[in-house]
Amino acid sequence: MKLIRNPGFLFLFFYLLGFLGQSPVDAAVKKYQFDVQVKNVSRICNAKPIVTVNGMFPGPTVYAREGDRVIINVTNHVQYNMSIHWHGLKQYRNGWADGPAYITQCPIQTGQSYVYDFNVTGQRGTLWWHAHILWLRATVYGAIVILPQPGKPYPFPQPYQETNIILGEWWNKDIETAVNQANQLGAPPPMSDAHTINGKPGPLFPCSEKHTFVVEVEAGKTYLLRIINAALNDELFFGIAGHNMTVVEIDAVYTKPFTTKAILLGPGQTTNVLVKTDRSPNRYFMAASPFMDAPVSVDNKTVTAILQYKGVPNTVIPILPKLPLPNDTSFALDYNGKLKSLNTPNFPALVPLKVDRQLFYTIGLGINACPTCVNGTNLAASINNVTFIMPKIALLKAHYSNISGVFRTDFPDRPPKAFNYTGVPLTANLGTSTGTRLSRVKFNTTIELVLQDTNLLTVESHPFHLHGYNFFVVGTGVGNFDHKKDPAKFNLIDPPERNTVGVPTGGWAAIRFRADNPGVWFMHCHLEVHTMWGLKMAFVVENGKTPELSVLPPPKDYPSC
């Protein structure tokens, strides 16, 4: 099959396939060529070279149907090592295609290629892809749109048209240089200079009239917006002036529909909404601004794009939406509380009711000695007081090939000692232990994991992403998790199913999943600054009893370190 680069043509191609009655047994092979290359780009009066895929910012959309096989050849033409993660795709038995550098693969070196070859099984909706090494995902990212199988309509009104809305961040300086300088100091890296919608900051920023994303709509129609938070460090509110949105999907899982004036997405999360163009024809701003309800500095600028009714001249000044205030905790908790799985016969919520293993993970910041840092110390982050150290070879390869000395499997199931996790800020004894420590899990184990924020240095909201799985968010709360009382309040009927969960500031989130996907699967905070500081770990899920329940062999072009 010819390699296709034009997303518009792809969408039409898949759309016609639906009419031609492609059946699941005829699942197609979708092939893409991703050339990682540098391109000069100008935003908010600053020009700089950025790393891109195919010279596009954001990168190309990957379109597929549920049941398809997707083959993406990634060729690295830049100075940096590269790896790409297909965020939210389960990669059953196939961690070789998951993408996080030094976890499931060695990175693709300059001048080298690697083929990501995977099946899209039992998933449909909006996901995304991004670089999973250094901070390169600042510009290396794009959407994944998985259409339902033909004859399987959406469980909501068929939209007239759909469009992708990818929220991002922009730095005027070279971000890799800035991060390296910050690490040498032992300080946090700089905040971004702008947020973007589809790579564009919008007219509220200088030099940005021409860098504004516009969607032209017809009155009296219903549109589907596929919204992705590709920001590195910011949770974001999103809204459209004068229009309500109906939430119908999160992280490529259908939800019970509900209507809202604004939505909230943590980094890594996706949300599909329906929008009815039932207002008087005009130009309306779509806007995104950060949510931060902790004493942490954040890029608080608002990015805008334009929803423009057909026939309205470009000279009309758009109307701004009223988004929640940056510290509106009550909106955030209320919004997340409305998210529920559809849980119908066609789309059941298969929540594990019996739990084999209970885990309790505390999330904390810390300070460790750093003889090479200007400050003599550097900031750290930990789970159960373990700051994760990245290995020199891929963990999945070490596991598969029984290479000893790469990692240990003694990651603690609970913190070394209990304390008042969310009490007054703790500013003494902030050292953490370090190591490449994984948690070993027997195949098909049902796991309940409580993620508990702490006030080590400061409380903060943490979007946690688990590779290789979806999970059910059975409960969340503010303060310390109560092992005796809180489980009685868990939603085991229709909890939201997702791949990235927001742990509330000074609170907790409880998730459940069945460990039925063998391999090594990364779990980390999706705030890039925290991941860099060590807020990450991995599960080693053992093989099942048969070859069909075991990790597949690595591909022949698997990169070496």
Side-chain angles (χ1 to χ4, degrees), residues 6-253:
N6 184 326
F9 172 78
L10 267 172
F11 185 81
L12 179 65
F13 175 70
F14 296 157
Y15 191 68
L16 289 172
L17 266 182
F19 274 99
L20 295 172
Q22 177 206 19
S23 72
V25 292
D26 301 327
V29 177
K30 304 291 161 38
K31 293 187 178 183
Y32 290 83
Q33 172 64 35
F34 273 26
D35 286 305
V36 181
Q37 54 196 209
V38 170
K39 179 179 170 125
N40 285 317
V41 168
S42 175
R43 294 290 185 273
I44 55 173
C45 317
N46 282 269
K48 67 170 185 177
I50 64 168
V51 180
T52 70
V53 168
N54 298 349
M56 298 167 67
F57 173 58
T61 299
V62 172
Y63 288 96
R65 278 200 184 279
E66 180 184 349
D68 282 352
R69 178 182 177 189
V70 179
I71 298 173
I72 303 175
N73 183 54
V74 177
T75 303
N76 184 9
H77 303 281
V78 302
Q79 70 196 65
Y80 301 104
N81 285 344
M82 177 55 64
S83 75
I84 293 183
H85 171 51
W86 317 94
H87 184 114
L89 281 164
K90 293 179 186 175
Q91 306 289 11
Y92 184 64
R93 302 169 53 215
N94 187 29
W96 315 110
D98 190 40
Y102 301 104
I103 306 297
T104 58
Q105 69 169 88
C106 296
I108 308 162
Q109 297 176 22
T110 306
Q112 301 295 308
S113 295
Y114 179 46
V115 175
Y116 291 93
D117 185 344
F118 52 86
N119 295 318
V120 180
T121 307
Q123 292 184 270
R124 82 293 304 160
T126 306
L127 296 170
W128 65 300
W129 59 265
H130 60 83
H132 212 304
I133 185 168
L134 305 172
W135 283 47
L136 293 171
R137 75 176 182 88
T139 55
V140 180
Y141 61 85
I144 301 173
V145 173
I146 307 167
L147 300 169
Q149 289 175 343
K152 292 195 176 176
Y154 295 131
F156 48 80
Q158 178 73 25
Y160 175 65
Q161 280 182 349
E162 50 184 69
T163 194
N164 301 335
I165 302 283
I166 313 180
L167 311 175
E169 287 183 86
W170 171 267
W171 280 263
N172 287 331
K173 291 183 178 173
D174 178 74
I175 187 58
E176 296 303 331
T177 304
V179 167
N180 289 339
Q181 288 169 346
N183 287 341
Q184 285 163 8
L185 284 171
M191 291 180 299
S192 55
D193 295 292
H195 294 107
T196 57
I197 292 176
N198 293 345
K200 297 173 178 179
L204 303 188
F205 287 89
C207 308
S208 297
E209 279 285 341
K210 62 184 176 186
H211 296 136
T212 302
F213 180 70
V214 180
V215 181
E216 188 179 70
V217 296
E218 293 181 30
K221 306 286 189 187
T222 299
Y223 290 80
L224 178 71
L225 303 186
R226 300 176 178 271
I227 305 161
I228 298 163
N229 186 352
L232 279 80
N233 296 307
D234 293 343
E235 292 186 82
L236 293 166
F237 294 117
F238 175 87
I240 308 171
H243 294 72
N244 288 327
M245 297 173 288
T246 301
V247 176
V248 292
E249 178 198 301
I250 53 171
D251 291 4
V253 180

Side-chain angles (χ1 to χ4, degrees), residues 471-494:
F471 49 73
F472 293 96
V473 185
V474 295
T476 58
V478 176
N480 298 338
F481 178 72
D482 187 321
H483 293 267
K484 291 195 174 109
K485 293 180 182 172
D486 285 327
K489 303 175 206 158
F490 284 175
N491 175 5
L492 303 178
I493 307 297
D494 58 358

Side-chain angles (χ1 to χ4, degrees), residues 427-481:
T427 54
N429 303 317
L430 291 172
T432 67
S433 66
T434 58
T436 310
R437 299 168 68 183
L438 279 60
S439 181
R440 186 177 288 282
V441 177
K442 285 198 169 84
F443 181 80
N444 219 31
T445 299
T446 52
I447 288 178
E448 180 180 288
L449 166 58
V450 175
L451 294 159
Q452 172 73 61
D453 187 30
T454 67
N455 209 346
L456 292 161
L457 279 183
T458 177
V459 290
E460 191 172 345
S461 175
H462 299 273
F464 257 78
H465 173 49
L466 175 60
H467 291 229
Y469 291 93
N470 279 358
F471 49 73
F472 293 96
V473 185
V474 295
T476 58
V478 176
N480 298 338
F481 178 72

Side-chain angles (χ1 to χ4, degrees), residues 500-512:
T500 306
V501 60
V503 179
T505 300
W508 55 269
I511 66 172
R512 287 188 183 184

